[in-house]
Amino acid sequence: MEPSEKSPEIIICRCEDITAAEVRKLITKGYRTPDEVKRFSRCGMGQCQGRTCRNLVLQEISAATGQEVKDIPMATFRPPTKPVKLGLFAKARAESAAEGGGDR
Amino acid sequence: MKTADIVIIGGGINGVSIAYNLAVRGCRRVVLLERKTLASGSTGRCGAGVRMQWGTEMNCRLARDSILRFERLNQELEYDGDIEFKQGGYLILAFHQRQWEQFQKNVALQNSLGIPSRLVSPAEARRIVPHLEVGDLIGGTFCPKDGHINPFKATQAYAEAAARLGVEIRKFTETVAIGKDAAGRVQRVTLADGEVIETPVVVNAAGPYSQLVGEMAGVALPVHSERHQILVTEPVAPKQGPMVMSFAHGLYCQQTPHGSFIMGIGDPHEPRGFDTGHSWQFLEDVASKVTTMMPALKEVRVVRQWSGLYNMTPDAQPILGEIPEVPGYFVAVGFSGHGFMLAPMTGVLLAEMILGLAPTMDVSMLNVGRFARGELIREPSVV
Ligand SMILES: Cc1cc2nc3c(=O)[nH]c(=O)nc-3n(C[C@H](O)[C@H](O)[C@H](O)COP(=O)(O)OP(=O)(O)OC[C@H]3O[C@@H](n4cnc5c(N)ncnc54)[C@H](O)[C@@H]3O)c2cc1C
Ligand code: FES
């Protein structure tokens, strides 16, 4: 396995504060898809939903396994794509109920 | 041909707990087959709340002893990570008189079994969760031993301990058929790529797909699957210690150690099936209920929503044990939305049944025959 050139202390996921060393440890243990790295480390589950760290994770997996980045399956992307306040969803419900949309 | 002593189908929390418990009792040739990756089924999608506060003696004991095991799981499994067990308690709310009366009985039962739960007044509930709007609350129950765990880490902890003890864990490996001998005993499993593993024992730990893995052996399990949706918010400063739960609303809401809130709500109109999509309707449902109960949460932002499946039985209790018509075919299925928290005991009990050891606890009433006999178990405290 070829380690990537980045130093182990470098932060891969800024939102969740996860280092290259942590990601590499998972890859060594056999968690070799972006989905697995995400689920087992939270890397990519932060505020930006992986926009910043997604490519860095792909590079780590590629460096360790020799797979080309384009051949690695992408992690599942879960909506909502922009963080929305709970109060706004509650308000939407209250408004549709007032219009006769019904609440159940 | 490859042979094994025991093949487990399913790499969720129950499959890996069974695998570990078999291996630690000396069973060496155990193979665990997982179609995708570990915890990719219900386990990785669940709320991962754990509570001792139940309404039947059996559930209280199963949950109590599972939580006692979770408390020292990092050490027991020599895990190099942390399962992140936060014991902030569960605050369960009563909004109807009948519910309140039931809660009084539950607490008496729980206390008689050494579970440190207690009844709380609305004022005390508010002291425990300061942002709670008490409104028409009658009272509640609180148990400080209950809490929340990281389900991925718990699965990983069991899986790595099992692997160290010699269990062969095969990810991305789907089982497609189960073969029986002339006498109807389990004989082999066939994988998607055609490989055959000969084995006298198969354990169905396939979570919401258990009925399909049942059909492979000609077993019609009395279970169905049902979608449950859930959301997580951005992490915010710690403000809520316990899980807050209301059976009347079908609602649960907790803050993880990581700071994010996780919440979900039952939908009585949810059809049966394997759909794991998500809806706008759910966001509005859960947001309007939770912000009525805890208005301070209006300001917290949702970052993700997803769904998973409950594997339901007619009495919302699991089915554990061997299927009498197919010797060697064991099931740990039908957890009906609370199978994460029972996994430590499920693993112990299944391992004992399979190896013919004296059981730590009598759970014979959870066998599949109870439905035909009409001996359903009445548990009053489920969401
Ligand atoms: C939204 C939601 C919230 C929940 N909240 C809680 C909670 O707070 N507390 C709690 O205790 N429980 C909760 N649950 C329930 C809990 O998730 C489940 O009871 C538990 O995770 C079941 O674990 P399992 O190992 O039996 O099944 P699963 O985790 O579903 O694992 C089964 C595995 O089998 C694999 N599989 C299936 N078919 C095959 C095949 N043919 N070949 C190979 N592999 C196969 C699947 O890929 C899957 O990984 C919740 C569930 C949901 C959906
Ligand atoms: S940097 Fe990883 S989720 Fe934002």
Side-chain angles (χ1 to χ4, degrees), chain B residues 199-216:
Chain B
T199 178
V201 176
V202 163
V203 184
N204 178 349
Y209 307 101
S210 69
Q211 52 274 48
L212 306 180
V213 174
E215 282 166 20
M216 291 179 195

Side-chain angles (χ1 to χ4, degrees), chain A residues 22-70:
Chain A
E22 288 168 75
V23 170
R24 283 175 203 163
K25 186 168 143 196
L26 274 175
I27 297 173
T28 322
K29 283 182 173 183
Y31 299 89
R32 293 188 179 168
T33 60
D35 239 339
E36 290 177 288
V37 170
K38 175 174 146 185
R39 289 166 201 247
F40 287 89
S41 74
R42 282 203 188 95
C43 182
M45 287 201 189
Q47 185 90 53
C48 84
Q49 287 293 290
R51 280 190 190 83
T52 321
C53 56
R54 195 183 301 154
N55 283 324
L56 297 173
V57 169
L58 285 172
Q59 285 164 21
E60 287 294 332
I61 294 173
S62 165
T65 64
Q67 272 175 290
E68 293 220 23
V69 166
K70 66 170 172 42

Side-chain angles (χ1 to χ4, degrees), chain B residues 87-368:
Chain B
Q87 286 178 291
Y90 261 49
L91 176 65
I92 308 184
L93 305 173
F95 290 96
H96 308 303
Q97 194 55 39
R98 244 194 39 226
Q99 215 170 28
W100 180 237
E101 282 157 21
Q102 181 64 49
F103 282 14
Q104 292 170 334
K105 288 187 206 148
N106 292 355
V107 167
L109 169 70
Q110 290 156 7
N111 291 170
S112 78
L113 298 167
I115 296 172
S117 56
R118 61 176 200 268
L119 292 163
V120 296
S121 66
E124 280 174 275
R126 181 132 199 194
R127 269 198 296 280
I128 298 170
V129 178
H131 56 273
L132 186 71
E133 193 67 54
V134 287
D136 44 5
L137 186 68
I138 299 181
T141 65
F142 181 72
C143 174
K145 285 278 183 184
D146 300 349
H148 177 265
I149 289 167
N150 180 325
F152 296 103
K153 299 288 175 80
T155 304
Q156 187 183 37
Y158 270 120
E160 289 181 5
R164 280 196 306 274
L165 291 167
V167 174
E168 182 183 342
I169 295 183
R170 292 220 209 157
K171 298 188 292 181
F172 304 104
T173 305
E174 183 173 6
T175 310
V176 294
I178 298 171
K180 296 184 276 190
D181 65 13
R185 281 196 62 94
V186 166
Q187 193 179 46
R188 62 189 181 275
V189 300
T190 307
L191 312 181
D193 65 0
E195 186 185 343
V196 173
I197 306 176
E198 217 164 86
T199 178
V201 176
V202 163
V203 184
N204 178 349
Y209 307 101
S210 69
Q211 52 274 48
L212 306 180
V213 174
E215 282 166 20
M216 291 179 195
V219 176
L221 292 169
V223 298
H224 70 268
S225 297
E226 179 184 289
R227 175 179 72 165
H228 280 254
Q229 302 192 60
I230 182 164
L231 66 77
V232 63
T233 72
E234 61 189 341
V236 293
K239 62 163 88 186
Q240 183 174 319
M243 163 81 101
V244 173
M245 194 167 211
S246 162
F247 299 130
H249 299 86
L251 179 77
Y252 61 88
C253 170
Q254 68 196 339
Q255 187 173 25
T256 68
H258 168 254
S260 53
F261 279 85
I262 291 187
M263 59 189 78
I265 194 164
D267 178 354
H269 306 283
E270 185 65 47
R272 295 176 174 197
F274 298 102
D275 172 21
T276 51
H278 32 67
S279 68
W280 180 264
Q281 145 107 22
F282 162 76
L283 288 172
E284 289 190 359
D285 272 352
V286 74
S288 54
K289 299 261 164 48
V290 87
T291 59
T292 308
M293 221 175 265
M294 296 179 280
L297 298 189
K298 276 186 188 156
E299 295 307 312
V300 183
R301 290 182 172 82
V302 180
V303 291
R304 257 177 299 134
Q305 74 173 121
W306 68 92
S307 74
L309 299 165
Y310 281 15
N311 193 227
M312 301 296 301
T313 62
D315 60 2
Q317 299 296 314
I319 308 174
L320 303 183
E322 193 171 14
I323 300 296
E325 296 75 36
V326 188
Y329 190 88
F330 289 80
V331 301
V333 304
F335 288 97
S336 305
H338 49 271
F340 178 80
M341 69 179 84
L342 304 181
M345 282 305 288
T346 298
V348 168
L349 294 166
L350 259 288
E352 290 169 347
M353 288 177 197
I354 294 165
L355 301 176
L357 304 172
T360 303
M361 185 186 296
D362 179 16
V363 288
S364 51
M365 67 274 246
L366 290 176
N367 70 23
V368 71

